[in-house]
Structure formats: structure tokens, C-alpha cells
Amino acid sequence: HELVFANPQKSQEGEYICTIGFKPEYQDCGTSGATVDVTLNVLVDEEATVSIDTDKTSFCSGSSTILNALVTGDAGDVKWYVDGGTSPVSLENPYTFNYPTGTYTVRCEVENGCGVAVDQVVINVLSTPVLNSITSNDDLCVGQDIVLTALATGDGVLTYDWKRGSQGLPYRHRLGSLF
């Protein structure tokens, strides 16, 4: 005999009792007219879901970001993988991501008896900007254009902020020059 829960819901959770005994007409076949009760607690598990929450997805090398797995449903371990790896790099939640310069896909997995839930996020670890040089043209003469050139390297979009002392200067292009 079976008791089947079709499309079980949380509302069906609880204590279920099955009483086993002989039908009245067969009770004298046994050595006892007693019955046996079997109790079972039924808990309906929900399929786990996961969503990654992070404070930032792009940051400079030497810094880090906190990845937090927002999990619903009953789930076991939160597992973090980087760039398609098959072994988790962490089982911690939240997870502090601190890798060298590069672009990484971080995947989070949670699992229970109802299935596996996955979310992922792309993290960009940018190289720190470095000012390589600042130069000017050779002839700094009254009445002739002076060209200052800054050369920098780094990931992402670099911005240049020119000042004279503490006074900000307007940035405008004139034949590829400043001012």
C-alpha cells in the first residue's frame, strides 16, 4: 500500500501515521489482535535557488570584492567555482574574491534533493593605472604652442585630469593638443 503525494506542497507537511493490523475476520489467525502504528514526519523540500549579490564587479588589482549567495529553499553547501573549474575554490558564504589582474567568471552552486541551482557573475580585476611619463615639446617659447603629453597604462578607461597647481584646467582638443 502506498500513500502518494502528487505535486507535494509545504502545506502537506506533518506527521503521518499508518496503522497496520488484521481485518476483523482474520484477527484469530494471528497470535495477537494488536495493531502496529508507524509514524513518519513528512517534510516537503523546496528546490533551492541562488542569486549572487556583490558590492562590485570591477576593481583594481590588490583589492577584493565580497560575493554573497542569496539562497532560497533548503540547500546544503554553497560552492564557488572560478572559470569553469570542477573543484570548488570555496565553501564559504559570503566569499571574498581576491585574484590577480584578469577577467573571471565566478559560478555559485547550491544543491538539495530537488536539484542544483546555479548563478554566475563576471568579475574584472583591473591593473592599477601607472603614469609612465609626462613630456613637453622641446621649445617652450612665448607665442608657440606648448604640448604636454601624459602616457599611462592600465585596464579599463583611463581618465586624465590636468591641473595648474590645485586649479583644474579645462580639457579641450585642438588639433590633437590640449588648450
Side-chain angles (χ1 to χ4, degrees):
H1 286 89
E2 295 178 334
L3 174 62
V4 177
F5 295 87
N7 189 21
Q9 302 297 314
K10 282 286 203 187
S11 61
Q12 293 172 311
E13 287 185 340
E15 182 178 275
Y16 288 82
I17 301 168
C18 178
T19 301
I20 301 170
F22 289 107
K23 288 181 170 181
E25 61 267 22
Y26 297 108
Q27 284 183 354
D28 18 331
C29 294
T31 57
S32 169
T35 60
V36 176
D37 290 333
V38 177
T39 302
L40 178 66
N41 282 313
V42 173
L43 299 174
V44 179
D45 205 358
E46 291 182 33
E47 186 174 333
T49 64
V50 65
S51 176
I52 298 173
D53 182 45
T54 182
D55 58 341
K56 57 189 170 265
T57 57
S58 292
F59 56 92
C60 287
S61 179
S63 188
S64 62
T65 187
I66 304 295
L67 302 174
N68 190 24
L70 306 175
V71 180
T72 60
D74 299 322
D77 290 333
V78 174
K79 298 176 185 175
W80 298 96
Y81 301 86
V82 176
D83 284 343
T86 56
S87 296
V89 295
S90 179
L91 300 176
E92 299 295 320
N93 191 33
Y95 165 52
T96 301
F97 183 87
N98 184 7
Y99 272 57
T101 301
T103 299
Y104 304 91
T105 300
V106 180
R107 185 178 86 248
C108 180
E109 250 181 42
V110 296
E111 178 177 8
N112 64 13
C114 300
V116 177
V118 176
D119 193 18
Q120 66 183 30
V121 64
V122 174
I123 303 290
N124 294 303
V125 183
L126 308 171
S127 63
T128 305
V130 175
L131 179 60
N132 297 319
S133 67
I134 188 162
T135 60
S136 68
N137 54 323
D138 291 335
D139 300 321
L140 305 177
C141 301
V142 173
Q144 293 183 3
D145 287 347
I146 297 174
V147 179
L148 302 178
T149 304
L151 210 54
T153 57
D155 293 327
V157 177
L158 299 178
T159 60
Y160 296 83
D161 184 22
W162 290 94
K163 294 181 181 178
R164 179 177 180 196
S166 62
Q167 178 75 30
L169 297 173
Y171 180 78
R172 74 169 202 222
H173 292 278
R174 193 186 82 185
L175 302 174
S177 302
L178 292 175
F179 311 108

